Amino acid sequence: MADIFRFIKLISLLFMKLLHILLSLVGLGVLVSCKKSGYETKNGSVYYKDYRLREADVASFNALNDVFAADKNRAYYRGIALTGSDGASFRALNEQYGKDKASVFYCANYIDFKLFETKRRDVIHPISAADANSFEVIQDDYAKDKFRCYNKETGFAVKDIASFQPLDYNFGKDNQTAYFNLTPIAGSCGRSFSVLSRNFSKDNQHVYYASTLMDGSATSTIQRINLAKPDSFTIVGLYYATDQGNVYYQNNRLPSADPASFRQWDQSEINYATDNTHIYFQGNLIAEADKASFRLLPDFYAQDVKTVFYKHNSLSDTDVTSFTVLEYGYAKDTKQVYYNGKVLKKADPASFALVDNEAGRDAADKHHSYKEGKLVKPD
C-alpha cells in the first residue's frame, strides 16, 4: 500500500510540474502574440499597430524600421503620411530622421503630460534648409549636411562640420571650438575640450560653468570661471569644485575654503559643504557655526550647540534645546515661531501647529491662521 501511495505522489508531482511548464509556455505565447510593434500587412491592408493606413499602396509598401515606412507614392512616420515626401526615394536614417531625394524630415514621439490626460503625441518637422543629398545622421538627434549641423529640426553653424561631435548635457565640439546649447563658447579650444558634469567643463586653458536661469524661460548660460586651473580642476559635488589653490561654488571662488579638505556635505545634500574648519551653504561661509556639533535639519534649518541657522544666516534669540522644525518652512521653539527663517511676531508658539487639508490656511495658533507664513483672515 505504501508503494502505491508513493507512486501516486510521484505521478502527481510530475503532473504538476508538466502543468506548470505548459502554463508558462502558454503565458509566453500570449505575451508574444499580444505584442505589436511597427507595421504589418493583413487582410489586404497596411496597419501601423491598430491604425489602418487607408492611402497606403499595399503592393509597394515597405517598412523601413519600426517607425518609418514608404510606398511608391509617399513616406510614413508611425502611420502618418509625410506631406510632400517621395516614397520611391525615401530612406530612414534612424528613428528620428528620414529623407528622400529632395527633402529631410525630423520626427519624434513624446509623452504629453496634462492634468487629467497623458497621451503620446507625434511631431513631424520638414527641415526646409537641409541639403538632402549630403544630409547624414551624426548621433541620435544630431545630424549634418555640407552647410551646417542640426539638433532635431534646428540647424546651427559650426566652424568645422567634418569634425563636429555631440557631447553630454547639450555640449558639443569640433577641432576648433566648443559649443553649449548649439552656440560657440567664446575663447574655447575644441580639441582639448571635455565635459566634466552637467555644470562643469574645461579645455586646456579655461574652466567653464553652465547654469540654467529659472526665470520662466529656463535660459541656460555658460561662464568662464576666472582663476580656475584646468590641469588640477576637480569636481567635489554638483555645484562645488576645487583646484590646486581654490574652492569654487558654481562659477564663484570661496576665498576662505581649504581645497585639500573641502567636500560636499554628502551625496544627497548638495547645498552644504565642509572643510577642516568651516561649514558652507552654497557660496556662503557660515562663520558662526561650530563644526563639531553642527547638524542639518529639514527645510534649510540647521543648528549647533549654541545657535540655530536658516541657510547661512544665524537666527537670533532662539532656544536651541526646544527648537523644532515642523514642515513647509515652519519651525518653532518655546519663545517664537518661524517661517523660512523669519520670525512670525504675532504667532503663539505654545498653540502653533500645522493645519492639514485646508485650502485657506496651512498653520494656525489659538489666535490666528497662516498661509505660507502670512496672516489670513478666517472666512
Side-chain angles (χ1 to χ4, degrees):
M1 183 67 69
D3 290 337
I4 293 175
F5 279 120
R6 280 196 294 268
F7 178 77
I8 293 172
K9 184 177 181 180
L10 177 61
I11 293 297
S12 298
L13 289 172
L14 289 173
F15 176 78
M16 293 301 295
K17 187 172 183 179
L18 179 61
L19 181 62
H20 178 74
I21 293 171
L22 289 172
L23 288 173
S24 298
L25 290 174
V26 170
L28 179 61
V30 169
L31 289 175
V32 171
S33 64
C34 288
K35 182 180 179 182
K36 293 184 179 181
S37 176
Y39 297 90
E40 61 177 337
T41 301
K42 59 183 179 181
N43 301 324
S45 297
V46 178
Y47 292 81
Y48 181 78
K49 298 187 176 179
D50 294 325
Y51 174 70
R52 181 185 173 195
L53 281 62
R54 298 182 183 276
E55 69 272 42
D57 178 70
V58 178
S60 62
F61 191 89
N62 183 31
L64 304 175
N65 58 21
D66 280 348
V67 291
F68 283 111
D71 60 24
K72 66 179 182 179
N73 299 314
R74 62 186 65 83
Y76 304 85
Y77 173 74
R78 292 174 56 86
I80 303 170
L82 302 183
T83 303
S85 61
D86 175 64
S89 63
F90 190 87
R91 291 194 296 123
L93 303 179
N94 62 7
E95 293 202 346
Q96 289 78 43
Y97 288 106
K99 72 174 185 177
D100 59 28
K101 62 184 179 181
S103 303
V104 177
F105 299 85
Y106 174 80
C107 305
N109 176 258
Y110 69 99
I111 299 176
D112 186 12
F113 294 101
K114 292 186 177 180
L115 184 59
F116 298 108
E117 177 185 55
T118 300
K119 287 187 176 181
R120 295 201 70 92
R121 301 190 184 277
D122 299 302
V123 292
I124 297 172
H125 295 285
I127 308 176
S128 58
D131 176 65
N133 185 54
S134 61
F135 191 92
E136 60 182 288
V137 172
I138 301 173
Q139 174 185 310
D140 299 330
D141 286 332
Y142 284 88
K144 66 182 180 180
D145 61 21
K146 64 182 180 181
F147 299 109
R148 63 187 66 82
C149 289
Y150 300 85
N151 175 243
K152 298 180 179 179
E153 74 276 15
T154 302
F156 62 100
V158 299
K159 292 187 176 181
D160 182 36
I161 296 172
S163 64
F164 177 81
Q165 57 180 299
L167 302 173
D168 291 336
Y169 309 120
N170 296 325
F171 287 96
K173 70 176 184 178
D174 58 29
N175 284 340
Q176 297 185 42
T177 193
Y179 304 84
F180 179 64
N181 284 351
L182 316 184
T183 302
I185 301 173
S188 61
C189 171
R191 289 183 182 275
S192 62
F193 185 85
S194 61
V195 178
L196 305 177
S197 71
R198 180 178 298 277
N199 298 315
F200 294 104
S201 57
K202 70 177 184 177
D203 56 30
N204 59 2
Q205 295 180 316
H206 306 293
V207 180
Y208 308 90
Y209 179 78
S211 61
T212 299
L213 307 177
M214 302 307 292
D215 59 356
S217 60
T219 304
S220 296
T221 62
I222 189 162
Q223 297 170 293
R224 188 183 300 174
I225 304 177
N226 296 324
L227 304 178
K229 302 175 180 63
D231 55 345
S232 61
F233 192 84
T234 304
I235 297 170
V236 296
L238 183 63
Y239 299 117
Y240 293 104
T242 65
D243 61 19
Q244 188 175 4
N246 294 297
V247 175
Y248 305 89
Y249 176 76
Q250 297 183 352
N251 62 315
N252 299 308
R253 186 172 68 93
L254 302 183
S256 60
D258 171 46
S261 61
F262 191 89
R263 63 179 180 85
Q264 182 176 279
W265 188 267
D266 60 33
Q267 188 173 6
S268 61
E269 181 45 73
I270 61 175
N271 291 293
Y272 290 86
T274 69
D275 60 18
N276 280 339
T277 54
H278 298 109
I279 306 290
Y280 302 84
F281 176 80
Q282 296 181 354
N284 302 284
L285 169 66
I286 308 178
E288 305 94 333
D290 173 64
K291 185 175 184 296
S293 62
F294 188 87
R295 64 188 182 96
L296 302 185
L297 302 173
D299 294 350
F300 294 123
Y301 290 99
Q303 71 178 73
D304 59 23
V305 292
K306 58 183 179 179
T307 309
V308 175
F309 304 89
Y310 180 74
K311 297 184 177 179
H312 59 283
N313 299 309
S314 60
L315 304 185
S316 60
D317 197 29
T318 53
D319 177 39
V320 176
T321 59
S322 65
F323 186 83
T324 303
V325 177
L326 301 175
E327 207 172 4
Y328 311 129
Y330 290 104
K332 70 176 184 177
D333 57 24
T334 55
K335 298 185 290 185
Q336 299 180 114
V337 178
Y338 309 84
Y339 179 76
N340 288 350
K342 296 181 178 180
V343 176
L344 301 182
K345 295 181 179 181
K346 294 185 178 182
D348 172 58
S351 60
F352 189 90
L354 298 180
V355 175
D356 294 327
N357 302 319
E358 292 192 27
R361 60 179 185 166
D362 54 24
D365 60 21
K366 63 183 180 181
H367 301 296
H368 304 101
S369 293
Y370 297 86
K371 177 73 171 180
E372 297 177 353
K374 296 181 179 180
L375 281 170
V376 292
K377 295 180 179 180
D379 294 333

